[in-house]
Amino acid sequence: MKTLCISLLLICLTQIVNAQVSGRVTTAGSQPLPYVTVSLVRTADSSSVKSMLTNEQGGYNIADAPSGNYRLRLSSIGYQTWFSSPFEISGSKDAKYLAVIVMKEDTRQLGEVVVRATKPLYQQRSDGLVVNVESSVLTKGSTALQVLERSPGVTIDHRDNGIALNGKSGATVMINGKLVRMPLAQVMNLLNGTSADNIEKIELLSTPPAGYDAEGSAGIINIVMKKSKKQGTNGSYSLTGGYGMGEKGTAGINLSHNTKNINLYGSYTFQHDRTYTDLFITGSQYMPFIGGNAEVEFYTKTKRISNNHNATLGTDIKLDPKTTISGNLSYNNSHSPTYTYSNAGYKILPDSLLRYIGHINGNGHWDNLTSSLNIEHVLKEGEKISVEADYIHYGNNSPSEVNTSFVNKYGEQVYANNSVSAQRQRGFANTAINVGVFKADYANQLSPLLKLETGIKGTHTGSSSSSGIESFNNGAWERNMQTAANIYMKEDIGAAYLSLNWQLGKSISLNTGVRYEYSYTNMDNPQTRSNIVDRKLGKLFPTVLFTKKLSNRSELQLSYTKRISRPSYDDLASYFAYSDPTAVYTGNPFLKPTITNNIKLGYNYGDYSFSLLYSRDDNAIARYQLSESPAHDILFISPQNLPYQNYFTLQANVPVKVSNWWEMTYSLVGGLRQFKEDYTLHPLTKSYFGYSFNFNQLFKLSGSFSAEVSGQYNSLSYNGTTRVDGFGLINAGIKKELKNNGGSLQLSVADVFSAAQIHVRYGTLTREAFDIKSNVLVNTETRRFPVIKLTYSKSFGSTRPAGRGKPESGSKEESERMRSN
């Protein structure tokens, strides 16, 4: 690694520096002004020689400028066009830095002007892929989870509540650069209860820079919400109604009030969703307490009603030209009663028969509060410091009641000690998580070609949970100690990072950085006063990103990153959740963190992008694996470590514009995958080829109509020893823009051909616990009937751009660490 860094540095330092013109553009309020058109024009005839857009920090750098006399012309909608004084470029090594350019707002009053510009659906960046959600017709009426599921390289596991990026689990989930600190099942509920109307873009970062936390072996999924940049009072609202196997409805509103020095913003969304899932299992297993070898047929259907509330309130206050203070509150609440019916037959060889019928009523309820305070101060031009403090609270209460009939052929109840087969049972799960975060960042544009970023961060987490399953026997409730847990965990993580962004030579840039993280994790059982986990870990996480522009349209990239995925709270905690009379979900306190090394080679040509990514995971975490209880009478479903996991992946994104009214985009992520596992009775090494394919067809029709068809296919894959067969689906939608700023109507259909069936197989690779061999068919709601939704949305208020934009949060690199079944 050291050799790679030094070699790249020497390459850059030995390049010839060609003529460059650089600088930075801000508003009158000293805020960066992105997407300004910067043109290098000849003074003689005002002809344009080179043009570019400023980046999100308002910076620009026009490289390889020929000798001559020039002026700069800057233009942007809502601002007055700006011209520089004439200047001369006299040689190939001449460098002009024009310092800070302040653009003034265009205050002329015009009649109503409607400007519509569409970004491409997918945009490749050096650190990953950006999905511009607003460019999709299917966005209206969709949830954040549905948009994420349609994104290239993202796979959603609805059965086991998993999110994979580029075929790998362990992706960090953030919203506006902030950690979503709740169990993964609730993260998915949150995303499924968040209207996609509120999303601006989704960043799929496979190689994030050192400024982000090192957490997330598969990378980072950052969901960026919309924010208004218009002065005055603005807003939008939307109403959605739909039906699949049950009714759906969403109502949301966004409001903002922006003045020169104060921005106020807020939003509220309510979502109601009645949904349905069923699964059918056939297989065989050896279970001693029910008589030995058995053939099993198992049918389960689950009905869920979800009611989600999401609210945000925030402000940005400019205290003086150099100091801005920002604060926001975000509250999420979900109430999801569920009913599960199960009917199973166990044929005990040679001729005995057991019949199980179960009724499970759950009443899940969770809430999450995130508060943040940020102060940013500009020390001088190009130099600033920011300090942020966050507090996060998550609470979950999920009681359940189980009524079963588990009888033999004579109608007698089957029950064994230390089992979960009593006629009446009840489960309880209470979790409280409190997190405090402090972060300080410093950035300095040392020169037009060199930027320094550094910072420190501290996170303290305190978590407590009580869970278990009780059986009603002999007129009293009894707790089985095999299925009970009372856990308290505290975790402290300290981090420091340093990053240098160099612009060197002829269109060459190098971003190098290193991050050091030290973590201490302690987990105790207050009941038994025993220690479960006591772990300390300190590691360096280097990052190198080399970019070379081959021409005005093509670019080559080479990067190296090192990352980590620490076991989540639920991964480690020995919580218990009921599955069936023979099995429970639980954690594994012996899990080790995953360390990942990534090397990526990328090539971009215009909007086309291609890359090769190699990643090596040591101690990769595979969730929902099968093992036997210490008493060999209950099946434990828990996470396990894989000694290693290797991925060699090709990523391709190809947009095609057929005509002015028809655009297509195709994306492929796939390659060779290999893993080793040693937790089963017979360890093994497995290699296979896996991929995911996405396509999007956008049609701009007459009469303000537009339509979209999108689809995806995920090939065969493995989660540890569990095999998941390939599956795919197609979505469609049509949109009508109403006249006279009347809003828009959109009709969408999810899974048009009802193809979303997931086929899971156990026991295909090696001998599993209790010799289980089974096939599981999971039917999501759309497998029974497509989900059809109609959405009306409308924006209102000023159309005038604001004089300043809301600064991004300083806490951009918290990662989702807690998961649940």
Side-chain angles (χ1 to χ4, degrees), residues 299-479:
Y299 173 75
T300 294
K301 64 179 180 181
T302 300
K303 298 179 179 179
R304 177 190 297 270
I305 302 173
S306 297
N307 293 297
N308 301 299
H309 302 265
N310 300 314
T312 300
L313 182 64
T315 184
D316 309 311
I317 303 173
K318 192 173 183 60
L319 301 178
D320 57 52
K322 292 187 175 182
T323 306
T324 302
I325 183 170
S326 303
N328 63 72
L329 286 171
S330 177
Y331 178 72
N332 316 108
N333 175 280
S334 177
H335 181 214
S336 301
T338 60
Y339 168 72
T340 300
Y341 168 79
S342 300
N343 190 324
Y346 296 82
K347 184 179 180 181
I348 312 300
L349 303 178
D351 59 359
S352 296
L353 180 66
L354 302 178
R355 173 62 59 183
Y356 163 71
I357 297 176
H359 303 270
I360 305 175
N361 287 284
N363 194 16
H365 182 274
W366 61 264
D367 62 279
N368 185 71
L369 175 68
T370 301
S371 58
S372 179
L373 181 65
N374 175 281
I375 299 176
E376 181 181 288
H377 180 69
V378 177
L379 301 172
K380 62 181 181 180
E381 179 53 39
E383 184 180 10
K384 68 178 181 180
I385 186 170
S386 64
V387 178
E388 181 174 298
D390 298 338
Y391 171 74
I392 305 160
H393 169 78
Y394 167 78
N396 179 34
N397 180 23
S398 299
S400 61
E401 294 184 2
V402 182
N403 290 281
T404 68
S405 172
F406 195 31
V407 298
N408 58 25
K409 62 182 179 181
Y410 303 108
E412 299 169 337
Q413 179 74 14
V414 177
Y415 180 75
N417 291 331
N418 298 327
S419 72
V420 286
S421 59
Q423 287 180 287
R424 290 184 60 194
Q425 297 176 71
R426 65 184 183 189
F428 59 94
N430 298 289
T431 303
I433 303 173
N434 294 286
V435 184
V437 181
F438 174 81
K439 186 172 184 290
D441 294 286
Y442 170 78
N444 191 355
Q445 190 73 45
L446 300 176
S447 75
L449 305 179
L450 178 61
K451 183 177 182 179
L452 166 72
E453 293 179 303
T454 186
I456 58 172
K457 181 179 180 181
T459 304
H460 173 77
T461 303
S463 309
S464 62
S465 74
S466 177
S467 64
I469 300 172
E470 296 178 336
S471 302
F472 191 76
N473 293 311
N474 302 318
W477 289 100
E478 298 176 357
R479 183 172 301 183

Side-chain angles (χ1 to χ4, degrees), residues 281-286 294-297 626 635 760-776:
I281 304 173
T282 57
S284 62
Q285 63 188 60
Y286 174 76
E295 294 179 352
V296 182
E297 287 189 355
L626 308 182
L635 181 69
V760 182
R761 304 173 191 261
Y762 295 90
T764 60
L765 290 182
T766 187
R767 186 184 176 191
E768 298 279 9
F770 295 113
D771 287 329
I772 288 177
K773 294 181 179 179
S774 63
N775 293 320
V776 183

Side-chain angles (χ1 to χ4, degrees), residues 162-179:
I163 301 177
L165 180 60
N166 299 330
K168 294 176 59 177
S169 60
T172 294
V173 178
M174 296 189 297
I175 295 179
N176 287 338
K178 284 184 177 293
L179 163 71

Side-chain angles (χ1 to χ4, degrees), residues 123-233:
Q123 286 181 304
Q124 188 68 38
R125 292 193 333 208
S126 58
D127 54 358
L129 185 71
V130 177
V131 182
N132 292 306
V133 176
E134 295 177 287
S135 299
S136 172
V137 172
L138 295 175
T139 294
K140 300 294 184 183
S142 294
T143 68
L145 189 66
Q146 290 168 335
V147 171
L148 193 60
E149 189 171 19
R150 295 195 291 264
S151 301
V154 178
T155 305
I156 304 296
D157 185 346
H158 292 277
R159 176 174 176 265
D160 290 331
N161 295 314
I163 301 177
L165 180 60
N166 299 330
K168 294 176 59 177
S169 60
T172 294
V173 178
M174 296 189 297
I175 295 179
N176 287 338
K178 284 184 177 293
L179 163 71
V180 183
R181 293 198 74 100
M182 58 177 68
L184 187 53
Q186 273 67 57
V187 173
M188 292 183 67
N189 285 339
L190 171 65
L191 298 178
N192 202 39
T194 301
S195 173
D197 295 352
N198 300 331
I199 300 175
E200 177 187 344
K201 61 184 178 181
I202 296 176
E203 299 173 333
L204 308 175
L205 308 180
S206 56
T207 55
Y212 288 87
D213 268 12
E215 182 70 31
S217 58
I220 291 173
I221 298 174
N222 184 32
I223 300 172
V224 180
M225 309 303 287
K226 290 179 182 177
K227 56 186 180 184
S228 175
K229 296 181 180 180
K230 301 173 184 176
Q231 284 192 346
T233 301

Side-chain angles (χ1 to χ4, degrees), residues 33 137 247 272 351 353 435-436 460 538 575 577 729 737 770 784:
L33 195 56
V137 172
E247 74 279 0
H272 170 83
D351 59 359
L353 180 66
V435 184
H460 173 77
Y575 69 94
L729 54 85
E737 295 284 353
F770 295 113
R784 301 302 182 188

